[in-house]
Amino acid sequence: MTLDEDLAGLDEAFKMRLANLEGYITCQQTNKAFENADSSWYFRRNSPQNEVKTQDKAQMFDTKYQKTAVSIMEQAKEKFLVAFKSINYKQGTATSILSDIMKKC
């Protein structure tokens, strides 16, 4: 296996974990929606009163939150790789990178 193949595999694994993160957030938001069945979008979506309005996915879930979480992880990856390649890399760099990104959000 070449270094390029190994790096491509790591990048694919990273993308898979990001997809898992989005799925986890969706599950958490779904659980929150089902906490109170009377106010749940799921039970209201098929009612005759809502036939004129069709809810799209953006209304059901906070996709902005998902995109922000994924963006933070992508930024952290890029900054970590830059720091790792630099001469000044030291243990704990990833933690400080994530902390700095989260302060900006």
Side-chain angles (χ1 to χ4, degrees), residues 32-44:
K32 187 75 172 168
F34 278 94
E35 280 180 354
N36 182 357
D38 293 334
S39 66
S40 173
W41 59 266
Y42 181 81
F43 295 106
R44 291 190 321 249

Side-chain angles (χ1 to χ4, degrees), residues 59-76:
Q59 291 173 323
M60 292 186 240
F61 300 109
D62 184 5
T63 55
K64 182 179 176 187
Y65 179 74
Q66 290 175 331
K67 290 176 184 176
T68 300
V70 169
S71 174
I72 287 171
M73 296 305 293
E74 288 172 339
Q75 288 177 44

Side-chain angles (χ1 to χ4, degrees), residues 37-89:
D38 293 334
S39 66
S40 173
W41 59 266
Y42 181 81
F43 295 106
R44 291 190 321 249
R45 71 184 170 93
N46 290 325
S47 69
Q49 301 157 338
N50 291 337
E51 286 181 11
V52 177
K53 283 186 169 181
T54 304
Q55 292 178 328
D56 63 347
K57 184 179 175 185
Q59 291 173 323
M60 292 186 240
F61 300 109
D62 184 5
T63 55
K64 182 179 176 187
Y65 179 74
Q66 290 175 331
K67 290 176 184 176
T68 300
V70 169
S71 174
I72 287 171
M73 296 305 293
E74 288 172 339
Q75 288 177 44
K77 174 190 167 195
E78 294 303 318
K79 289 183 178 189
F80 176 78
L81 290 175
V82 168
F84 187 75
K85 291 176 184 178
S86 75
I87 298 171
N88 297 330
Y89 175 79

